[in-house]
Amino acid sequence: MVKYKNNTNFVMHGTGKKKNAKLLKFGVYVVAFLFIGSMIGIAVLEAGTGPKNIKLPKNPILETPLDEGQIALFVSQYGTYIEIETGLCDFDCMTNITKIESLASAYTPYVFVYKKQNSVKTQISIENYNKKETIESINPDVAEDIICEIIPGHPECIKRSALEAVLFVNKNETNNTI
């Protein structure tokens, strides 16, 4: 019992300990709530940052190049992305570019072609999930070989390999008769 000046008696029955215990309990609940809330918040944020809605163009002959996300998506779907860079282009060069653009139409939806004009170099970059290759000349046969490495069951690839087999047999027969 404690006496004060005005002679009022106050009885202390451990109320200070109860307040400290209640504050400690409240603090534990607050920390637990913050911990669980932050875990839920991180889970929600991570779920929202998944793959973005990446769209591929409908036309296989592109006006603008694909960005890295589009290339990654396209290549993962057995696609081949061809980027042609040209400076000055003669008749043979233009013919080869036209043949490569026709490959894009023949192998739709597995090929996209972008032509970058006014470049310093004349080259072709071909990228698929198997490789990324830069060729110093514009050669449609090499481009088609790389395309058919990825999709050998495509009807155009089957037709091409059958034609090459016939030409190879005829070439050998011609060499043996001479």
Side-chain angles (χ1 to χ4, degrees), residues 26-37:
F26 177 74
V28 168
Y29 285 134
V30 168
V31 169
F33 175 75
L34 290 174
F35 179 72
I36 292 171

Side-chain angles (χ1 to χ4, degrees), residues 83-127:
E83 194 167 296
I84 304 168
E85 295 182 41
T86 61
L88 296 173
C89 206
D90 60 2
F91 179 75
D92 288 336
C93 173
M94 290 303 292
T95 303
N96 288 337
I97 289 173
T98 304
K99 286 180 183 177
I100 290 173
E101 287 176 340
S102 71
L103 291 177
S105 298
Y107 290 97
T108 298
Y110 297 104
V111 176
F112 278 130
V113 175
Y114 170 68
K115 184 171 60 173
K116 178 180 177 182
Q117 295 180 346
N118 301 326
S119 177
V120 176
K121 297 179 182 178
T122 298
Q123 64 183 14
I124 181 171
S125 299
I126 303 173
E127 182 175 354

Side-chain angles (χ1 to χ4, degrees), residues 63-74:
E63 297 293 322
T64 60
L66 297 179
D67 64 28
E68 291 300 317
Q70 289 174 315
I71 291 172
L73 175 66
F74 183 60

Side-chain angles (χ1 to χ4, degrees), residues 13-160:
H13 297 288
T15 55
K17 288 182 182 177
K18 284 185 179 180
K19 284 185 180 179
N20 285 342
K22 285 183 180 179
L23 281 174
L24 183 63
K25 198 174 190 181
F26 177 74
V28 168
Y29 285 134
V30 168
V31 169
F33 175 75
L34 290 174
F35 179 72
I36 292 171
S38 66
M39 286 184 3
I40 291 171
I42 289 172
V44 168
L45 286 175
E46 287 297 318
T49 59
K52 306 251 187 297
N53 192 7
I54 299 174
K55 294 186 179 183
L56 294 173
K58 295 195 185 309
N59 190 357
I61 300 170
L62 305 171
E63 297 293 322
T64 60
L66 297 179
D67 64 28
E68 291 300 317
Q70 289 174 315
I71 291 172
L73 175 66
F74 183 60
V75 166
S76 72
Q77 298 173 346
Y78 297 101
T80 301
Y81 177 63
I82 301 173
E83 194 167 296
I84 304 168
E85 295 182 41
T86 61
L88 296 173
C89 206
D90 60 2
F91 179 75
D92 288 336
C93 173
M94 290 303 292
T95 303
N96 288 337
I97 289 173
T98 304
K99 286 180 183 177
I100 290 173
E101 287 176 340
S102 71
L103 291 177
S105 298
Y107 290 97
T108 298
Y110 297 104
V111 176
F112 278 130
V113 175
Y114 170 68
K115 184 171 60 173
K116 178 180 177 182
Q117 295 180 346
N118 301 326
S119 177
V120 176
K121 297 179 182 178
T122 298
Q123 64 183 14
I124 181 171
S125 299
I126 303 173
E127 182 175 354
N128 55 34
Y129 76 86
N130 194 25
K131 67 174 118 180
K132 184 174 183 177
E133 190 171 329
T134 301
I135 303 164
E136 297 297 322
S137 64
I138 298 175
N139 189 333
D141 292 328
V142 172
E144 194 167 11
D145 287 341
I146 293 172
I147 293 168
C148 286
E149 285 175 5
I150 301 300
I151 50 170
H154 191 279
E156 291 296 319
C157 293
I158 293 170
K159 191 185 320 178
R160 184 171 194 263

